[in-house]
Amino acid sequence: MSNISEESFFEEDSLWFFAITSVENVMAILINLLVVCVYAASKDLKSSTSNTMFASLAFVDMSTSLCFLFKITLQPRIVPPNGLFGELYCRLIYSTYLMWGCISSSWFHIILITFDRYIAVVYPYNYKQFSEKKTTHSFLIIAAYVLGFASMNLNILVAKASTKNACIYLLPTWSYTLKFICLVFYSTYMIFVTLSIIIMYLVIVTKTLLASRNRTRKVAQKRVTLLCIAIVGEFLTFSCPSTIYFFFYMVQLVLDLDWSFSFNSSFYAFTIQLVNASSILNPVIYITCCSAFQISFKQLFLSIKQGN
């Protein structure tokens, strides 16, 4: 193992970074928590598997913001203990494995939601039967979590506890072949996530443009299309920059190139800010585009107001 840095991948000391990130994450936590609470309080929302996916996405986005808020506020003040607990803390928390696992799970949730909308538009007569299979949807949601965290296992290997009650980042002294395999795996993973969302989106848009003359069905398909446009646009704008940057960092690492890609750069910090912003935008998008959530929000607000 060779030491690459004893600093955090997100060690930003500037006040603006701390202030903006803190406000951003607190907003994301509160908004997503509100969505989860509205879902839990509404029987109508629970009857729809699509809404269950939205609520699960809100939960994972809230978890992402909690992890990042912990990263910039409490983590610098924590001294990891010696032994097993210190090793687990460094590899799971300090390495940002939990945070990036949640982010990756959020991307797989977006794939699920896009796929659900894809079935609703392309196979509208079979969608009711598909949506009633709650066991299948539960399995898909669990798979989104499992795949999300499994795809970020590399983070566990790049951090460990030192003998000085501290966590350090280390790069395994792997062979060129093994590093190349990691690069191919990560590239394949990101290509799969991005293309699967874009391809289903294009099919949905095409199907909507060629929709039948049935006015009710056409309006419903346009609503679904707007939701997909918002989700795909948000993913490409806010999530892809950090993954592209990390891809070039991996290329630089594997090929031993003299590039300037670094986790301590201001641009990388900016891409992480974009990822955080997506945790705020996701609930706003599906609350705006989903009438069922809007109705449940109003009902919950009225019930609280009448209770007071």
Side-chain angles (χ1 to χ4, degrees):
M1 306 279 282
S2 60
N3 197 336
I4 58 171
S5 175
E6 292 192 3
E7 301 293 332
S8 165
F9 280 2
F10 304 103
E11 197 68 42
E12 295 287 341
D13 297 325
S14 57
L15 182 61
W16 73 266
F17 179 88
F18 179 83
I20 293 176
T21 306
S22 298
V23 172
E24 194 176 51
N25 282 280
V26 170
M27 288 178 59
I29 291 169
L30 294 177
I31 294 174
N32 284 289
L33 178 61
L34 180 61
V35 172
V36 173
C37 291
V38 169
Y39 173 81
S42 174
K43 293 182 178 179
D44 293 334
L45 290 179
K46 292 178 183 177
S47 63
S48 171
T49 51
S50 298
N51 294 332
T52 302
M53 292 179 181
F54 288 141
S56 183
L57 176 60
F59 174 79
V60 76
D61 283 340
M62 179 179 67
S63 301
T64 299
S65 298
L66 282 170
C67 289
F68 201 97
L69 191 61
F70 174 84
K71 178 75 179 174
I72 64 173
T73 56
L74 297 179
Q75 183 167 297
R77 298 167 177 79
I78 292 178
V79 177
N82 290 321
L84 177 62
F85 288 106
E87 193 71 25
L88 289 175
Y89 169 80
C90 292
R91 292 187 180 274
L92 297 179
I93 300 177
Y94 183 84
S95 68
T96 65
Y97 168 72
L98 292 181
M99 186 185 78
W100 280 106
C102 289
I103 292 173
S104 182
S105 297
S106 176
W107 294 340
F108 278 103
H109 273 77
I110 292 175
I111 292 177
L112 283 183
I113 292 171
T114 307
F115 177 71
D116 181 79
R117 300 297 84 194
Y118 168 84
I119 298 296
V121 172
V122 179
Y123 305 103
Y125 300 108
N126 298 327
Y127 178 71
K128 183 177 181 180
Q129 181 180 3
F130 171 75
S131 63
E132 291 175 351
K133 296 180 179 180
K134 294 187 177 182
T135 303
T136 301
H137 281 75
S138 299
F139 172 79
L140 291 175
I141 291 173
I142 293 173
Y145 283 97
V146 172
L147 292 174
F149 281 94
S151 62
M152 293 295 155
N153 280 339
L154 183 62
N155 288 53
I156 298 177
L157 303 177
V158 298
K160 65 173 294 184
S162 70
T163 57
K164 301 178 181 180
N165 290 87
C167 297
I168 57 175
Y169 279 102
L170 297 171
L171 184 65
T173 53
W174 292 338
S175 65
Y176 171 81
T177 303
L178 195 54
K179 290 179 182 179
F180 184 76
I181 291 174
C182 290
L183 176 61
V184 172
F185 167 78
Y186 179 78
S187 304
T188 304
Y189 156 70
M190 285 312 306
I191 290 172
F192 167 75
V193 171
T194 305
L195 288 185
S196 59
I197 293 174
I198 293 176
I199 290 173
M200 285 189 288
Y201 156 74
L202 292 176
V203 173
I204 290 172
V205 172
T206 303
K207 188 69 174 180
T208 302
L209 294 175
L210 300 176
S212 64
R213 297 180 180 179
N214 186 311
R215 181 176 178 80
T216 303
R217 181 183 167 189
K218 195 168 185 177
V219 170
Q221 287 180 330
K222 286 185 176 180
R223 191 183 301 118
V224 169
T225 302
L226 289 175
L227 174 62
C228 290
I229 290 174
I231 290 176
V232 173
E234 178 267 323
F235 174 78
L236 294 177
T237 305
F238 292 88
S239 298
C240 283
S242 66
T243 60
I244 294 173
Y245 188 96
F246 185 71
F247 169 77
F248 283 109
Y249 174 82
M250 290 284 291
V251 172
Q252 167 188 276
L253 193 65
V254 172
L255 301 181
D256 195 22
L257 299 173
D258 189 22
W259 291 349
S260 58
F261 291 95
S262 169
F263 290 120
N264 294 320
S265 70
S266 298
F267 181 75
Y268 184 67
F270 173 71
T271 65
I272 298 304
Q273 292 283 10
L274 292 179
V275 174
N276 279 327
S278 68
S279 296
I280 300 176
L281 290 176
N282 282 336
V284 172
I285 288 173
Y286 50 74
I287 289 171
T288 303
C289 298
C290 183
S291 58
F293 264 101
Q294 295 174 13
I295 295 172
S296 297
F297 264 106
K298 292 177 182 178
Q299 291 176 343
L300 181 62
F301 177 77
L302 291 175
S303 64
I304 294 175
K305 187 176 181 179
Q306 292 174 356
N308 293 335

